[in-house]
Amino acid sequence: MTAAPSPALVCPIPLSDYPEVTMAHGGGGRLMHDLIDRLFVASFAPGAAGPRADSAILAPHGGELAFTTDSYVVQPLEFPGGDIARLAVFGTCNDLAVCGAEPRHLAVAMVLEEGLSVATLWRLCRSLADAAARAGVAVVTGDTKVVERGRGDGLYITSSGIGVRAHGLRPGAAQVRPGDAILVSGDIGRHGIAVLAAREDLGLRTDIVSDLAPLWPAVAALHAAGVELHWMRDATRGGLATVLVELAEATGLGVRIDEALMPITGAVAAACELFGFDPLYVANEGCMALVVPQTQVEAALGVLRALPGHAEAAAIGGVVPAGDAPVIARGAAGGERVLRMLSGEQLPRIC
Amino acid sequence: MTAAPSPALVCPIPLSDYPEVTMAHGGGGRLMHDLIDRLFVASFAPGAAGPRADSAILAPHGGELAFTTDSYVVQPLEFPGGDIARLAVFGTCNDLAVCGAEPRHLAVAMVLEEGLSVATLWRLCRSLADAAARAGVAVVTGDTKVVERGRGDGLYITSSGIGVRAHGLRPGAAQVRPGDAILVSGDIGRHGIAVLAAREDLGLRTDIVSDLAPLWPAVAALHAAGVELHWMRDATRGGLATVLVELAEATGLGVRIDEALMPITGAVAAACELFGFDPLYVANEGCMALVVPQTQVEAALGVLRALPGHAEAAAIGGVVPAGDAPVIARGAAGGERVLRMLSGEQLPRIC
């Protein structure tokens, strides 16, 4: 006997009728309403009753809110450790988390390319719903557009999030002081290399999986443990180096890191060497840089390393008074180099 | 003597260096930061001081909020009466307004196609800033991605908005009663025909200009005048007919309209006849359907017609008990027809 497939996993739009997204799915008529009701509402808000409205109404909340938006254009749509839908949820939630806000509400807008497989879209909808549940956010509103074949790339997702600022948690450049320590919440470079490896044309064989994950649990645990979070930033496009340059620019202070302390797996280091990438510039999607008081480094690392996904958290350097170069990295062999923002691009469409 | 051009109107990125958007403008490095600082921040938040953060922080507000998102993929990017940037502002603000919320904060995410003219992007940024000022919203956060040539269509914009619910204004299907009147806030069909005419391949010559405009001033004026706004919906993709079907479906009641009462310009009617379009299904971007008590029709029309852009407001029908067909339109010649949602598409990429 084989188990019957779970009814919830059967695409609710008959694939024999509509194997692919058509322009009519974006026309505002019956087909679009069907797509929204049967794929999106069924996935994201299965209990939603009553009429669809143009906006979601959010209950009153007395505190400060954080508001963010990101478009996701990653290619391929699915990669080891994630897909564009999970990225759209966790990426946007992480932008809230590093501002000290607990992610609550998500708005999801999709630009579908004519010809996108409806089965793929359904799989990504399920993934998005699963990621939202894991991140503790509700998908409260959305939008769907369809563009002609050759005017998109399967699917672009823009997700916008609203979070609620945690009491007493106000990370920002103004809190950063010379002498503060700089931590990373995990090993670096996995997302960029995993996506790169998933591009068939590169022929890279590797077991590297994206680090894609929500960061709010780590922020909440650190805050609950009394760690003063002076500054946080998730190290996505442009990698850790770009985030450190942003830290230096925002504070007017200097940043010194020690590359020998940088957590990085052997596989990522090898892949970076093979392709000539500097891992400090490779994108992450579940790793952040944090600035905390020097006296709280051990406490912070203790909290982080006890959490799933943050076992490799490490102290990598510190904030210093402004000097000649804003960001200096000391290499494993003892030499120093100045880190700047990427002047061009390294890995396009990584998120 | 000729006047010197206003410095504010000169593109702040040297067009000789970067006449077109390149993949590197989306890479997360220095070029992307330059684009954001010199084009976007300069246009949208010229007074913004301090560091860019991943999220905007919104001051506490005790009331209910409305939250919405829409992607805009209109083609061409510029059309008579507007452009994709103005559409992204007013369209999203209108989704808040018809839910009874005053638009306040906007998040703007752009997917740029490699090769987009930077001069065009700058013009659209100026237009977006101007539209935001007119709509009374602040652009508080954003995102930029770049996709390869042939994976986009110049520019897609996703704008997400947060609005504050006006005191005592709770439009919704539950408020609608049989006997209520249905109004439109202006003449219909102009946006769809204006965009259609702007597509060079169609060779349609017309002076029709999109009705693109913010609807909040009309909602606020009606509410201030004591008009009970039972239900509102802006009649965008799918046109007025689709909105009326949504009204019938959401309330479980019937809708009857009289086409002889429908405000429509001669030029729009002629263009629709020429192309075989039913104007009830053509998109609008500054026109909404409203349900108000029958006793307040004259008051509502008085308020609307005194406002710029709403001189053609009209009562077009009413809500009736559920009958055989949810929505019935009585034609000018006296015949009746059932209005349904579009089964396919009429005008792709109209918004």
Side-chain angles (χ1 to χ4, degrees):
Chain A
M1 265 183 74
T2 54
S6 160
L9 295 178
V10 174
C11 179
I13 290 187
L15 294 179
S16 49
D17 293 353
Y18 290 100
E20 293 184 347
V21 170
T22 66
M23 289 304 293
H25 281 111
R30 180 58 66 193
L31 268 184
M32 190 184 84
H33 283 76
D34 259 14
L35 188 77
I36 291 171
D37 285 345
R38 296 163 79 177
L39 246 55
F40 302 152
V41 175
S43 295
F44 308 147
R52 287 178 303 266
D54 283 319
S55 308
I57 302 301
L58 312 181
H61 181 277
E64 273 185 343
L65 299 177
F67 181 31
T68 192
T69 192
D70 260 331
S71 290
Y72 297 88
V73 300
V74 69
Q75 195 57 231
L77 297 178
E78 298 171 295
F79 50 82
D83 55 49
I84 191 170
R86 295 182 89 72
L87 192 55
V89 173
F90 295 156
T92 291
C93 288
N94 288 349
D95 281 344
L96 298 171
V98 296
C99 291
E102 180 176 6
R104 291 279 179 88
H105 309 288
L106 218 57
V108 176
M110 300 196 188
V111 176
L112 312 176
E113 184 190 13
E114 180 188 21
L116 173 67
S117 146
V118 169
T120 299
L121 180 59
W122 170 240
R123 198 163 60 242
L124 292 170
C125 285
R126 302 287 307 173
S127 179
L128 198 150
D130 179 70
R134 199 175 145 204
V137 288
V139 177
V140 293
T141 188
D143 182 51
T144 311
K145 294 291 190 304
V146 181
V147 295
E148 299 88 349
R149 222 177 276 265
R151 302 293 183 182
D153 205 358
L155 170 64
Y156 298 145
I157 303 181
T158 302
S159 58
S160 306
I162 295 178
V164 173
R165 274 270 183 121
H167 184 71
L169 182 48
R170 298 287 177 277
Q175 322 278 352
V176 177
R177 300 277 175 273
D180 281 351
I182 300 174
L183 315 183
V184 289
S185 68
D187 61 291
I188 64 167
R190 275 194 281 133
H191 177 73
I193 299 300
V195 172
L196 186 74
R199 293 185 185 158
E200 290 173 16
D201 48 343
L202 288 176
L204 174 64
R205 294 267 172 279
T206 161
D207 296 327
I208 297 167
V209 168
S210 170
D211 64 334
L212 179 58
L215 287 169
W216 175 249
V219 174
L222 289 164
H223 184 52
V227 174
E228 289 171 38
L229 296 163
H230 287 180
W231 189 88
M232 294 180 281
R233 186 68 63 94
D234 50 335
T236 58
R237 258 188 304 179
L240 185 63
T242 299
V243 155
L244 295 177
V245 173
E246 288 174 352
L247 170 61
E249 291 187 352
T251 58
L253 298 171
V255 167
R256 296 292 176 274
I257 64 164
D258 191 336
E259 294 193 60
L261 303 175
M262 194 68 64
I264 178 167
T265 66
V268 168
C272 283
E273 204 167 292
L274 185 65
F275 283 93
F277 292 139
D278 183 337
L280 289 177
Y281 290 91
V282 175
N284 311 279
E285 288 293 345
C287 180
M288 60 181 160
L290 307 94
V291 176
V292 303
Q294 192 65 50
T295 54
Q296 296 192 307
V297 168
E298 289 313 312
L301 290 178
V303 170
L304 282 170
R305 288 174 180 163
L307 294 170
H310 299 291
E312 308 302 322
I316 57 164
V319 178
V320 299
D324 294 338
V327 184
I328 291 178
R330 180 185 164 91
E336 292 192 338
R337 61 177 175 139
V338 173
L339 297 183
R340 304 181 198 282
M341 276 193 197
L342 276 180
S343 63
E345 55 160 348
Q346 193 177 57
L347 296 169
R349 298 186 54 191
I350 211 71
C351 62
Chain B
M1 265 182 74
T2 54
S6 160
L9 295 177
V10 174
C11 179
I13 289 187
L15 294 179
S16 49
D17 293 354
Y18 290 101
E20 293 184 348
V21 170
T22 66
M23 289 304 291
H25 282 111
R30 179 58 66 193
L31 268 183
M32 191 184 84
H33 283 76
D34 259 15
L35 189 77
I36 291 171
D37 285 344
R38 296 162 80 177
L39 246 56
F40 302 152
V41 175
S43 295
F44 308 148
R52 288 179 302 267
D54 283 320
S55 308
I57 302 301
L58 312 179
H61 180 276
E64 273 185 344
L65 299 176
F67 180 31
T68 192
T69 192
D70 259 331
S71 289
Y72 297 88
V73 300
V74 68
Q75 196 56 230
L77 297 177
E78 299 172 294
F79 49 82
D83 54 50
I84 191 170
R86 296 183 87 72
L87 192 56
V89 174
F90 294 156
T92 291
C93 287
N94 288 349
D95 281 343
L96 297 171
V98 296
C99 290
E102 180 176 6
R104 290 279 178 89
H105 309 287
L106 219 57
V108 176
M110 300 197 189
V111 175
L112 312 177
E113 185 191 13
E114 180 188 21
L116 173 67
S117 147
V118 169
T120 299
L121 180 59
W122 170 240
R123 198 164 59 241
L124 291 170
C125 285
R126 302 286 308 170
S127 179
L128 198 150
D130 179 71
R134 199 176 144 203
V137 287
V139 178
V140 293
T141 189
D143 182 52
T144 311
K145 294 292 189 306
V146 181
V147 295
E148 299 88 349
R149 222 176 278 264
R151 302 293 182 181
D153 205 358
L155 172 63
Y156 299 144
I157 303 180
T158 301
S159 58
S160 307
I162 295 178
V164 172
R165 274 270 182 121
H167 183 71
L169 183 48
R170 298 286 178 278
Q175 321 278 351
V176 177
R177 300 278 175 272
D180 280 352
I182 300 173
L183 315 184
V184 289
S185 68
D187 61 290
I188 64 168
R190 276 193 281 133
H191 177 72
I193 299 299
V195 172
L196 186 74
R199 293 184 186 159
E200 289 173 15
D201 48 342
L202 288 176
L204 174 63
R205 294 266 172 277
T206 161
D207 296 327
I208 296 167
V209 168
S210 169
D211 64 334
L212 179 59
L215 287 169
W216 174 249
V219 173
L222 289 163
H223 185 51
V227 174
E228 290 171 36
L229 296 164
H230 287 180
W231 189 89
M232 294 180 282
R233 187 67 63 94
D234 51 334
T236 58
R237 260 188 302 180
L240 185 64
T242 298
V243 156
L244 295 176
V245 173
E246 288 174 351
L247 170 62
E249 291 187 353
T251 58
L253 298 171
V255 166
R256 297 291 176 275
I257 63 164
D258 191 336
E259 294 193 59
L261 302 175
M262 194 68 65
I264 179 169
T265 65
V268 168
C272 284
E273 204 166 291
L274 185 65
F275 284 92
F277 292 139
D278 183 339
L280 289 177
Y281 289 91
V282 175
N284 311 279
E285 289 293 346
C287 181
M288 60 181 159
L290 306 94
V291 175
V292 302
Q294 193 66 49
T295 53
Q296 295 193 305
V297 168
E298 289 313 312
L301 291 178
V303 169
L304 282 170
R305 289 173 181 164
L307 294 170
H310 299 291
E312 308 301 322
I316 58 163
V319 177
V320 299
D324 294 337
V327 184
I328 291 178
R330 179 186 164 90
E336 292 191 338
R337 62 178 176 139
V338 174
L339 296 184
R340 305 181 198 280
M341 278 193 195
L342 276 180
S343 62
E345 55 161 347
Q346 194 176 57
L347 296 170
R349 298 185 57 190
I350 212 69
C351 61

